[in-house]
Amino acid sequence: MSSPSLKERLTLALLRGLLHWKSSPARVRRYLSRQSYLPGPKGQEPKWDGVREPGLPERPGAGAGQAGRGANRIRVAAVQMRLELAKSAEDYAAKIYALTRQAVEQGAQLVAFPEDSGTGLLELIPGIEEMAAGANLGSGGDIGGGLQVKDVFALLAPFVERVYTTTFSELARRWGIYIATGSAILLRDQKAQDGQIVNRAYFFGPKGEVLGTQDKCHLFPMECGWGLTPGNDIKVFPTSWGKVAIPICMDATYFETFRIASLLGADIVIIPSANPEAYNFWRELRGIWPRVQESEVYGINSFMVGEFLGLTLTGRSGIFAPMELTPGGDGVLARAQSPTEETVVVADLDLTALRRHRVKSGLRTGFNQALYERYFPDLYRSYLERRSTG
């Protein structure tokens, strides 16, 4: 392969300079500083001044999870978001601000966004919409105009990460809430400079701090075609009221993912999803609902929806619990009505009730760990050996 010419190197350097300017965190902070952070009466836009406004939940701050509901009760929100190209960092911040505000207006203290919530920042590249006109991301690694999906995401990743993390961090800090960002396609390791990209979720605390990240472990075939690298661990993140895990989309298809999170102490498992298919209730059911029942955790499933570069994204976001903890006995606390419309769904979770249920059910005390320890290592070793030999 021939080395890039001087003209190509200069063009790339200029593009990176432009992207650095367009992704400045100051642009995001400047936009958000002009917005109200707690909604007031109609026609008024008061900024946060440390005083609780009538009819609004108390600002959780460092004690998030205690906003009038007790330390073991928390109101959560699943954001069902329409995937659209954002023409600037400010446009992206405006979109995330509006959806987060809807959740906060309903009292949410933990807000969960869907998978690929950072993909709208593709339009930071000038002319990308025209270059990708007629492209179908589901057809392989070519985005159109000779551009490869992996190369585009790898080029954009450092700049997307600046806008993405600044937006969510600022909103988490200013509202004093926890935010699970969904996910964005980012560099596995910026220092490694190996061009490997991953589908990564961030989790922010009420001071705007990064509590951790989670890379998607089970890739969709389309993502394999794009050249993504899978993650190799499942993490849990402590909060003031319990532990949270955030495996991504296809990760929920496999019961081991939730079992690992549960054994690590997770009380809430968030699944950000972006299903590139027409809505199908039974396909959707293969994910979070059975995993919640098997693992005795609360589950939050946030879906991306809309038409985007040849993809049709659908899903009904929802909040789930063991069947015995739901009013209808069906395992559903709240669910979006439409699989295609943008919306925010909220529900209250009682962590004390969950822990009592676990003790009463006996599922965890009866968990036969010795059985799994005996079989699983050999089963997985056998699988890897078969795969390596074709």
Side-chain angles (χ1 to χ4, degrees), residues 228-290:
L228 268 68
T229 298
N232 60 8
D233 62 357
I234 298 295
K235 304 173 185 176
V236 296
F237 310 108
T239 70
S240 59
W241 32 260
K243 293 182 179 179
V244 174
I246 316 175
I248 301 171
C249 199
M250 277 292 288
D251 289 338
T253 301
Y254 306 96
F255 82 89
E256 291 99 327
T257 304
F258 267 62
R259 179 56 57 84
I260 292 168
S262 177
L263 291 174
L264 289 173
D267 299 296
I268 300 173
V269 179
I270 299 169
I271 299 292
S273 297
N275 283 347
E277 58 192 10
Y279 180 72
N280 183 298
F281 171 79
W282 300 108
R283 282 177 179 262
E284 185 180 280
L285 192 65
R286 74 179 184 265
I288 194 167
W289 190 92

Side-chain angles (χ1 to χ4, degrees), residues 293-316:
Q293 306 311 318
E294 293 163 353
S295 305
E296 294 187 326
V297 294
Y298 285 120
I300 306 172
N301 200 185
S302 297
F303 279 97
M304 187 67 75
V305 297
E307 303 285 337
F308 187 81
L309 297 183
L311 301 178
T312 298
L313 303 167
T314 65
R316 290 177 61 193

